[in-house]
Amino acid sequence: MSNANLPEPSLDRVDGRLKVTGTATYSAEYQFKNLAHAVLVTSKIAKGRITGLDSKLAEAAPGVLAVISHLNSPGVPGYPSVKQPAERAPIGTAFRVFYDDFVYFSGQPVAVVVAQTLEQARHAASLVQVNYQTEKHETDFEANLAKAAVAQSVQRNKTSPFQDYDRGNPDAIKTAEVKLESTYVFPTQHHQPLEPHAIIAVWEADDKLTIYDKNQGVKSAQGNLASTFKLPRENVQVNSPFIGGAFGSGIRVWPHTIAAVLAAKKVKRPVKLVLGRELMQTSVGSRPFTVQKLAIGASKDGLLTAITHEGIGQTSTYEEHLERTILATRAMYACPNVSTRYRLLNLDVNTPTWMRGPGDATGMFALESALDEMAHELKIDPLEFRIRNHADRDPERNLPWSAKSLKECYRIGADQFGWNKRTLEPRSMERNGLLVGYGMASSLYGFHRHPSKAKAIMLADGSVVVQSATMDIGPGTGTAMTQIAAKMLGVTPQKIRFDLGDSSLPDAPGQNGSATITSVGSAVHVACESLKKKLLALAAAMPGSPLANSRFEDITAKTGRIFPIANPSAGISYSEILKYHRLPQVEVTEESKPGPERDQYSMYSFGCHFVEVQVNPLTFEVRVTRVVTCADVGKIINYKTARSQSIGGIVGGIGMALMEESVMDHRFGRYVNTDFAGYHIPVHADIPQIEVYYVDQPDVYVNPIGSKGLGEIAIVGVAAAVANAVFHATGKRVRQLPITVDKLV
Amino acid sequence: MKPFQYVRPTRLKDAIEAVASDPNARYIAGGTNLIDLMKRGIDSSEKLVDINGLPLKKIEKRNGFLRIGALALNSQVAQHKLVLENHPLLAQALNAGASGQLRNMATVGGNILQRTRCPYFYDPVFPCNKRKPGAGCGALEGINRTHAIFGVSKNDPTQSCIAVHPSDFCVALSALDATVVAVGIQGERRIPFSNFHRLPENRPDLDTNLEKGELIVAVEIPDAVFTKHIHYLKIRDRASYAFALVSVATALDLENNRIKSARLALGGVAHKPWRLLEVEKSLVGQPVSEATFRKAAELAMQGAKAFEHNTYKLTLTPNAIIQALKNAVALV
């Protein structure tokens, strides 16, 4: 056990100084002499057609360079030519910008105004007159629930994980000794990173594009823009070295990016487009509104006998966004009879997307609430109930876990939290006139690892440059990679520079799915290992070299010096090696990718959260007063950045539990809380002391460094732990998030 | 945001003339609300008269009252010795509002004149009688979780407005019988706080009874005995930096464990700070007890009317009153 609250010798963030001194340059901050500014005009209706778009007033306004819409767009080469008569986009079509006159959701970009200054563009945008022919829209999820259906993409793919799933006897639930059925409602939530999405688009030549853009994957953005604009991949350069949070909103290339690129093409100048906060809810996806029906059966002695879990998620009319909502239920507990169903409901909204812990955060809110409800029904301690139903091997794939220390997480978490002080009955604990509740929940997240490359370069002065087109949306990628490189090469971290967020660097996946350390960390590990071998060979070739006959296993390196383990004084420094061979630098590029181990083991990160809440019995205000979290994510690379990531996930989970909700007025099909006064995320005063613990044991089967993903499991389960604590405090079970005062009255 | 002219006079007279003479001119001080409204196209003033150069920052004790200059910053007032000594309720209310950064920008005059946070007012796509008289009220049959339960206008959709006043400070000012000092072309006048903000009635576009061109120069709070048993309770969707669902400003003067005089006003429940004069009267002479507070809370709810999403306020409001009164006298 390791307590991440204790001071550990963790490397400080390598870019911390740049960030806190304001010297890190974010997408909207690049300077260009000729920069023009773009502001979007967005639709006021949720469904219909544009019957007229009058931009004369806007074009005549001071400073305006262009007003671009479907009427005069320079065109996107990757879009098919508009059919006549025009048709609505079929399901599976990424939104096409300024393509035709159809409106698919309120807030859809219908034009963009480009001007010399931001103020001029903003004013001119207000002068664009758009007329619509309105059609009846459907945005109300609960009113349209009956229309939910199996996704078309799932119908086409018989091996899709979203196919109907039955393990054991699907009717077992009917005969369960104790049975509970509940419906859980998860509202639409938005990522709301503090840095709004922003792009500067620069056409360097007719067939050469550079963008400075907020996204989570420079390589995927590069590929998408290359195919959208029919450019050679290498002619698209994406620069995104600093990202002010994203949580999934930057995984895709969104319409505003295309709009900015089109605008830059039209005005033949660099164009900047920054989304205002009011556009963030309709421009960069959302966590989908989801309804879940769970039936859970158990024996009286506390063993799960059957679970049925149906998840219905919201998507747009033009794309199917599927997420893991019901998948965790198959793997989480040892239960012989499990059935899952997943359905989609197409509505006149913009397409949802992945948001931290996509699907699992939603599904585990329902499952872990239901577990708590059953424990209460059975009068068993909720933690004990989970331990009794612990899955010792993956019940879905019937494979051993690569590693699983969930029971150890439970033990550490419960001890540190003082779970044994919890009384069984709800509304039985009090402090200073306030109701006190203890709640807990498990967490899991599937292991993801993608092929990844890294280049490691030893320079003549013994300093090192490591490069990969990976990203840092906040977790401290550069810091962790620097540590991995420093450890392998035996060089102090201060002599290492790690480059990321640049599409010209070696291939790496975008930052999502908790896969960066495991994918890119492995690539950095093997690239540095390979570089070290190359340097050893060069050292061995030097006359009278003490390393002449050393095998790689017999040597080590420290402070830039490579030496036999058996004879530390007989070493050669990296700079001496390069100097002798008259080499300005030595470099290697390596790829690391997963192998057959994925078919032999089931791989997950696991964890648990313990939450204390206080509830005022008169005013119903809920405050989270304590959180203890413990995770098993294999080997921890950097305690400080890991702890920050866990804390961030808990904070997000508290927001999810108590305040986050995008509210739509369905008469208009339009969100009503489009600013931070209406869309609440936690502030400091909402966040108590958070204690973070890790099991910190390498998982030897997953990758060379033994680390698994942490970003998602930090948030998965937190909302349920809070809801369970609220139930324990008040006796009131809230199954529709967020748990606001009005739901407790 | 419309292009606008900007002037910064240094004399009060020039500022007032500049706004009084131009129908599209308005004052700007901290700008913490106005700039947002301009950016979203809700305010389309063509001339901004910046009053930050005027000498209106002073906080001083005068004969019988405390006078706070209109340009004193919310953060300065909340920390000021004279305020803390004489009217700590004001400091509590101010500190319950906005964030540290906003309080450092926002002025006393601006706080009093801030506009509702009703989302239908803030998005020009929605109908709003306050923004565009006669257009209809989006909130009436829409999302009205945060809306008014008192003083709502008659059921004429073209005139209705169920928005609430967002200020915390004003709730305390109302409870403390403050006076607004305004200067216009015609000279200076003193407006009792209870008569400063309006109920929507048939003109929901008007938040206050201020005349065109009139500038708030100060607020005056009469000397009072409410320094000990006071409390500003704010119930909101998170612990800080959120507008009130319901707030309660209360001040009691006690003698032998009985209430000698009481002040009570609510926020987040009406188009203006909701002073509870009848309830205050009913409390006089009563013993300090939960039973007394419960009775007062019950009385306070007379005439309350809820809409689809804010029925919880019918329970939360009296409970908040009880909690605030208990806090004021440290009754657990």
Side-chain angles (χ1 to χ4, degrees):
Chain A
M1 172 194 111
S2 297
N3 179 355
N5 295 304
L6 298 175
E8 292 274 341
S10 298
L11 179 62
D12 289 343
R13 282 187 188 244
V14 293
D15 51 5
R17 179 171 289 274
L18 289 177
K19 285 183 171 172
V20 299
T21 55
T23 34
T25 306
Y26 290 82
S27 300
E29 298 176 326
Y30 288 84
Q31 304 293 317
F32 293 89
K33 244 190 272 165
N34 212 16
L35 186 66
H37 298 262
V39 169
L40 291 171
V41 179
T42 58
S43 83
K44 298 174 177 180
I45 64 161
K47 186 179 183 185
R49 296 181 80 160
I50 302 165
T51 52
L53 194 144
D54 183 353
S55 55
K56 278 189 224 79
L57 272 179
E59 280 160 23
V64 172
L65 301 168
V67 180
I68 305 161
S69 69
H70 68 290
L71 298 175
N72 65 342
S73 167
V76 174
Y79 295 167
S81 47
V82 179
K83 280 190 187 165
Q84 292 303 341
E87 292 172 3
R88 286 194 156 260
I91 287 177
T93 312
F95 182 80
R96 296 180 293 213
V97 182
F98 310 145
Y99 177 70
D100 55 22
D101 57 13
F102 287 105
V103 174
Y104 297 90
F105 60 93
S106 185
Q108 164 183 325
V110 294
V112 64
V113 177
V114 194
Q116 306 276 8
T117 70
L118 174 61
E119 291 76 11
Q120 289 169 335
R122 191 196 291 272
H123 173 54
S126 73
L127 301 176
V128 177
Q129 283 298 318
V130 188
N131 295 318
Y132 302 95
Q133 181 187 26
T134 305
E135 293 169 42
K136 188 173 181 288
H137 62 261
E138 297 294 345
T139 56
D140 188 342
F141 191 96
E142 289 170 289
N144 285 283
L145 208 52
K147 295 181 196 158
V150 177
Q152 291 186 5
S153 62
V154 175
Q155 291 179 30
R156 285 194 301 269
N157 176 7
K158 294 298 164 208
T159 61
S160 164
F162 298 102
Q163 288 287 349
D164 289 358
Y165 170 85
D166 294 301
R167 171 163 93 225
N169 172 11
D171 292 327
I173 188 74
K174 293 178 189 158
T175 53
E177 279 181 17
V178 185
K179 185 176 124 183
L180 291 176
E181 278 180 297
S182 299
T183 299
Y184 300 88
V185 180
F186 209 100
T188 304
Q189 296 177 339
H190 282 86
H191 310 71
Q192 302 287 19
L194 289 187
E195 179 204 27
H197 279 250
I199 172 177
I200 297 174
V202 187
W203 285 90
E204 317 275 2
D206 281 350
D207 63 347
K208 207 161 179 291
L209 172 68
T210 299
I211 64 164
Y212 303 81
D213 179 53
K214 179 192 179 99
N215 64 73
Q216 288 176 241
V218 283
K219 285 287 186 185
S220 54
Q222 178 194 42
N224 181 297
L225 289 169
S227 67
T228 305
F229 287 91
K230 293 236 157 83
L231 299 168
R233 205 183 162 102
E234 62 276 13
N235 282 18
V236 178
Q237 171 64 34
V238 180
N239 297 316
S240 313
F242 293 101
I243 304 295
F247 314 108
S249 63
I251 296 173
R252 296 188 62 181
V253 170
W254 295 108
H256 72 276
T257 300
I258 306 293
V261 173
L262 280 174
K265 184 137 211 169
K266 183 95 170 177
V267 303
K268 299 186 166 49
R269 288 167 61 164
V271 166
K272 170 151 77 175
L273 193 156
V274 181
L275 291 179
R277 187 60 61 185
E278 74 281 7
L279 287 187
M280 288 288 285
Q281 271 163 314
T282 45
S283 302
V284 291
S286 60
R287 195 191 290 283
F289 196 106
T290 303
V291 168
Q292 299 174 74
K293 295 172 193 167
L294 242 115
I296 174 168
S299 63
K300 283 181 182 152
D301 57 353
L303 288 178
L304 289 168
T305 55
I307 305 175
T308 65
H309 187 172
E310 182 183 8
I312 305 165
Q314 170 171 292
T315 193
S316 65
T317 58
Y318 52 93
E319 280 179 300
E320 293 184 325
H321 171 75
L322 298 105
E323 55 183 41
R324 297 179 41 88
T325 314
I326 39 92
L327 299 188
T329 297
R330 301 180 192 169
M332 189 65 224
Y333 294 106
C335 178
N337 307 296
V338 173
S339 296
T340 66
R341 302 287 180 269
Y342 186 68
R343 302 290 180 265
L344 281 186
L345 179 54
N346 299 87
L347 294 171
D348 297 306
V349 297
N350 57 314
T351 311
T353 194
W354 303 278
M355 182 167 159
R356 197 171 190 178
D360 289 312
T362 309
M364 286 289 275
F365 164 65
L367 180 67
E368 290 298 289
S369 292
L371 260 282
D372 201 69
E373 295 195 45
M374 181 56 88
H376 172 69
E377 188 68 26
L378 296 171
K379 297 195 185 320
I380 299 176
D381 176 89
L383 174 58
E384 169 59 25
F385 186 47
R386 285 169 174 82
I387 293 169
R388 276 188 211 174
N389 291 285
H390 181 267
D392 296 333
R393 54 192 277 129
D394 181 352
E396 181 183 12
R397 298 175 68 202
N398 195 24
L399 284 177
W401 307 107
S402 58
K404 180 179 183 181
S405 301
L406 180 58
K407 282 185 177 168
E408 181 68 358
C409 290
Y410 287 149
R411 191 189 62 73
I412 294 166
D415 283 356
Q416 298 299 326
F417 184 81
W419 183 257
N420 60 2
K421 294 189 190 75
R422 182 184 188 273
T423 54
L424 200 58
E425 278 305 304
R427 221 182 162 101
S428 60
M429 291 172 76
E430 251 192 55
R431 184 187 302 140
N432 304 326
L434 299 173
L435 306 171
V436 173
Y438 285 4
M440 62 86 55
S442 308
S443 179
L444 93 169
Y445 191 74
F447 174 78
H448 299 286
R449 181 182 173 197
H450 312 290
S452 207
K453 288 181 186 165
K455 181 191 270 188
I457 310 164
M458 180 63 70
L459 299 173
D461 65 352
S463 63
V464 177
V465 176
V466 184
Q467 298 178 318
S468 177
T470 181
M471 306 296 292
D472 185 4
I473 60 169
T477 308
T479 311
M481 298 305 159
T482 298
Q483 266 188 279
I484 291 168
K487 192 175 168 197
M488 174 51 74
L489 289 170
V491 171
T492 57
Q494 289 69 27
K495 295 203 85 169
I496 296 175
R497 190 187 85 213
F498 185 79
D499 294 337
L500 51 62
D502 172 344
S503 63
S504 68
L505 299 177
D507 272 336
Q511 188 155 66
N512 55 70
S514 298
T516 301
I517 287 275
T518 140
S519 310
V520 183
S522 298
V524 168
H525 178 88
V526 297
C528 290
E529 184 179 59
S530 178
L531 177 65
K532 195 165 149 190
K533 283 180 179 162
K534 203 165 174 180
L535 289 161
L536 172 65
L538 289 169
M542 289 165 70
S545 169
L547 298 161
N549 298 312
S550 298
R551 289 176 311 170
F552 187 70
E553 302 75 49
D554 300 330
I555 60 105
T556 189
K558 220 174 169 180
T559 59
R561 219 172 121 268
I562 191 164
F563 54 87
I565 294 165
N567 185 9
S569 60
I572 305 176
S573 73
Y574 290 132
S575 55
E576 282 170 329
I577 298 170
L578 269 72
K579 194 174 169 194
Y580 173 79
H581 290 283
R582 301 182 182 211
L583 292 168
Q585 63 181 60
V586 178
E587 65 171 60
V588 295
T589 301
E590 291 285 350
E591 183 176 34
S592 172
K593 51 186 173 188
E597 69 276 3
R598 287 202 283 201
D599 303 325
Q600 294 150 10
Y601 297 96
S602 197
M603 301 170 177
Y604 282 87
S605 293
F606 288 99
C608 55
H609 314 289
F610 292 83
V611 168
E612 179 190 280
V613 298
Q614 284 184 359
V615 184
N616 184 310
L618 267 181
T619 62
F620 316 103
E621 295 158 287
V622 177
R623 298 281 179 258
V624 176
T625 43
R626 220 151 48 88
V627 180
V628 172
T629 187
C630 184
D632 167 23
V633 293
K635 182 77 194 144
I636 298 294
I637 303 295
N638 182 310
Y639 263 91
K640 208 150 66 168
T641 54
R643 176 173 178 271
S644 294
Q645 207 174 2
S646 290
I647 289 173
I650 302 283
V651 171
I654 291 173
M656 181 190 293
L658 299 180
M659 53 196 87
E660 288 191 55
E661 176 180 22
S662 289
V663 182
M664 190 174 265
D665 184 329
H666 297 299
R667 296 171 302 166
F668 303 90
R670 194 171 170 89
Y671 291 114
V672 296
N673 55 340
T674 58
D675 58 26
F676 273 151
Y679 189 95
H680 288 146
I681 55 174
V683 296
H684 282 97
D686 293 297
I687 302 305
Q689 178 78 21
I690 298 172
E691 291 180 39
V692 181
Y693 300 88
Y694 301 111
V695 175
D696 196 10
Q697 292 295 321
D699 181 333
V700 296
Y701 297 112
V702 290
N703 58 25
I705 52 176
S707 294
K708 293 189 279 198
L710 172 61
E712 325 287 333
I713 64 150
I715 194 170
V716 172
V718 177
V722 174
N724 294 342
V726 169
F727 172 76
H728 186 236
T730 63
K732 177 132 186 164
R733 175 67 60 181
V734 180
R735 299 185 185 91
Q736 175 160 12
L737 295 179
I739 306 168
T740 42
V741 163
D742 47 311
K743 298 202 180 88
L744 292 171
V745 163
Chain B
M1 187 183 255
K2 238 176 165 173
F4 57 88
Q5 201 196 338
Y6 170 86
V7 292
R8 190 179 163 111
T10 50
R11 295 192 314 170
L12 184 62
K13 191 169 160 284
D14 296 343
I16 291 164
E17 274 170 12
V19 173
S21 65
D22 183 343
N24 292 316
R26 65 159 63 245
Y27 300 111
I28 184 168
T32 59
N33 191 197
L34 182 59
I35 300 293
D36 282 346
L37 295 169
M38 292 174 76
K39 277 159 84 173
R40 298 196 74 164
I42 296 145
D43 187 293
S44 48
S45 299
E46 288 167 3
K47 185 179 192 175
L48 291 188
V49 178
D50 183 343
I51 57 168
N52 285 299
L54 306 181
L56 300 172
K57 271 188 179 293
K58 216 169 183 182
I59 301 171
E60 58 188 325
K61 196 83 168 56
R62 290 197 181 171
N63 192 15
F65 57 87
L66 179 74
R67 183 180 163 105
I68 304 175
L71 284 176
L73 299 176
N74 285 196
S75 51
Q76 291 169 337
V77 178
Q79 292 161 20
H80 200 278
K81 193 164 171 273
L82 287 173
V83 173
L84 292 170
E85 278 172 5
N86 297 284
H87 302 289
L89 184 63
L90 283 183
Q92 277 192 15
L94 277 168
N95 285 327
S99 66
Q101 293 92 327
L102 284 166
R103 293 194 294 269
N104 282 336
M105 284 297 289
T107 62
V108 160
N111 186 315
I112 295 169
L113 290 175
Q114 66 181 299
R115 308 213 66 188
T116 182
R117 288 284 165 169
C118 173
Y120 294 91
F121 176 68
Y122 265 80
D123 182 347
V125 171
F126 294 128
C128 173
N129 287 326
K130 182 179 281 298
R131 182 166 23 81
K132 197 173 162 195
C137 172
L140 201 58
E141 311 243 305
I143 308 295
N144 45 37
R145 180 174 167 270
T146 59
H147 289 74
I149 54 171
F150 289 114
V152 290
S153 52
K154 57 187 154 206
N155 249 348
D156 173 359
T158 61
Q159 291 189 345
S160 283
C161 176
I162 58 170
V164 298
H165 195 263
S167 170
D168 295 298
F169 183 47
C170 290
V171 182
L173 286 173
S174 166
L176 295 172
D177 276 336
T179 301
V180 176
V181 185
V183 179
I185 291 284
Q186 316 292 340
E188 187 176 278
R189 66 176 178 131
R190 286 183 154 66
I191 311 165
F193 208 82
S194 57
N195 196 32
F196 184 81
H197 293 99
R198 296 178 70 257
L199 287 177
E201 291 163 344
N202 56 351
R203 287 296 304 275
D205 54 318
L206 299 178
D207 294 350
T208 72
N209 287 315
L210 217 52
E211 301 286 340
K212 170 69 184 162
E214 274 189 315
L215 176 67
I216 299 176
V217 295
V219 287
E220 294 173 350
I221 305 107
D223 292 349
V225 289
F226 304 115
T227 53
K228 198 171 169 204
H229 303 297
I230 54 128
H231 192 74
Y232 186 78
L233 179 69
K234 184 176 181 182
I235 315 297
R236 42 189 153 178
D237 280 327
R238 62 183 168 196
S240 179
Y241 195 27
F243 292 96
L245 297 170
V246 172
S247 70
V248 185
T250 180
L252 298 174
D253 185 26
L254 306 181
E255 197 174 61
N256 301 326
N257 216 31
R258 278 186 184 272
I259 298 164
K260 203 173 158 197
S261 65
R263 298 290 177 82
L264 203 53
L266 305 177
V269 295
H271 194 258
K272 60 185 280 190
W274 196 248
R275 180 81 183 269
L276 295 164
L277 287 168
E278 288 301 311
V279 182
E280 291 172 9
K281 269 185 231 156
S282 79
L283 281 166
V284 174
Q286 299 299 313
V288 171
S289 73
E290 184 150 345
T292 297
F293 298 158
R294 279 193 183 279
K295 240 191 263 169
E298 205 176 299
L299 183 60
M301 295 307 291
Q302 281 185 4
K305 178 189 169 191
F307 299 89
E308 187 181 353
H309 304 115
N310 69 353
T311 48
Y312 73 97
K313 286 193 181 183
L314 300 181
T315 309
L316 180 60
T317 307
N319 284 8
I321 293 171
I322 297 164
Q323 185 70 58
L325 287 165
K326 283 169 75 174
N327 290 356
V329 297
L331 189 74
V332 180

